[in-house]
Amino acid sequence: MLYHHVLAAYDGSEVSLKALRQAVRLADAPGCKLTVAHVLYRPTYAVEGLGFVMPESVQEKVKEYEDGLIRKAQEEIANLPYSEISVLTGPPATAILEHAADQNCDLIVMGSRGLGPFKEMMLGSVSHHVVQQAKCPVLIVK
């Protein structure tokens, strides 16, 4: 089946890299566009009058890490003529779904798990939420 616009969700995890590589194979067709979506999500930590501000040194390390993820994604899509990287913000599942709808994507490709079981337990599975709410097909890569 040929797709016109594939969105690959990428968070730097090993399974998201596998999903990105699968999306590259699917998008390697005449006229197909690939968008790699990386979501920046930093939840606010606050408890009744107390808050947490990330120290500047930690913010710099996070920025370096995220820049490295973007470079890795750019390497993976370098040979595709119609490809781009979109850096999104907000809750990951919501950001992915909204971007896929806004860009008229006809397939979302993502890994089955991202940053680990603790985050999944605390926030709910991003891939599960996307599968349940997407208006287009979703390919989950293990």
Side-chain angles (χ1 to χ4, degrees):
M1 175 177 229
L2 296 179
Y3 296 99
H4 300 287
H5 193 170
V6 176
L7 183 141
Y10 179 69
D11 67 3
S13 66
E14 191 61 37
V15 73
S16 77
L17 180 59
K18 286 175 65 176
L20 175 56
R21 289 178 175 158
Q22 180 66 40
V24 167
R25 286 191 291 276
L26 290 167
D28 191 16
C32 186
K33 179 179 180 180
L34 173 65
T35 298
V36 179
H38 175 66
V39 183
L40 302 178
Y41 181 57
R42 296 189 184 101
T44 304
Y45 298 100
V47 178
E48 208 172 312
L50 299 175
F52 173 76
V53 176
M54 193 181 304
E56 192 171 319
S57 62
V58 174
Q59 289 179 23
E60 289 172 12
K61 294 285 186 195
V62 169
K63 175 85 169 97
E64 288 173 19
Y65 174 75
E66 290 168 346
D67 289 347
L69 294 180
I70 299 302
R71 281 192 300 278
K72 177 66 175 167
Q74 287 170 331
E75 291 170 10
E76 294 293 328
I77 66 172
N79 294 326
L80 290 178
Y82 304 108
S83 60
E84 66 182 11
I85 296 176
S86 294
V87 178
L88 313 174
T89 58
T94 302
I96 290 165
L97 289 165
E98 288 176 358
H99 197 68
D102 292 346
Q103 298 298 310
N104 296 314
C105 295
D106 52 359
L107 177 68
I108 300 171
V109 181
M110 61 190 310
S112 59
R113 293 179 74 129
L115 299 175
F118 180 73
K119 185 171 183 177
E120 185 174 325
M121 178 184 70
M122 295 302 292
L123 301 175
S125 170
V126 173
S127 59
H128 178 76
H129 185 82
V130 170
V131 165
Q132 296 299 314
Q133 300 299 318
K135 303 294 186 215
C136 66
V138 179
L139 173 62
I140 302 295
V141 177
K142 293 181 109 180

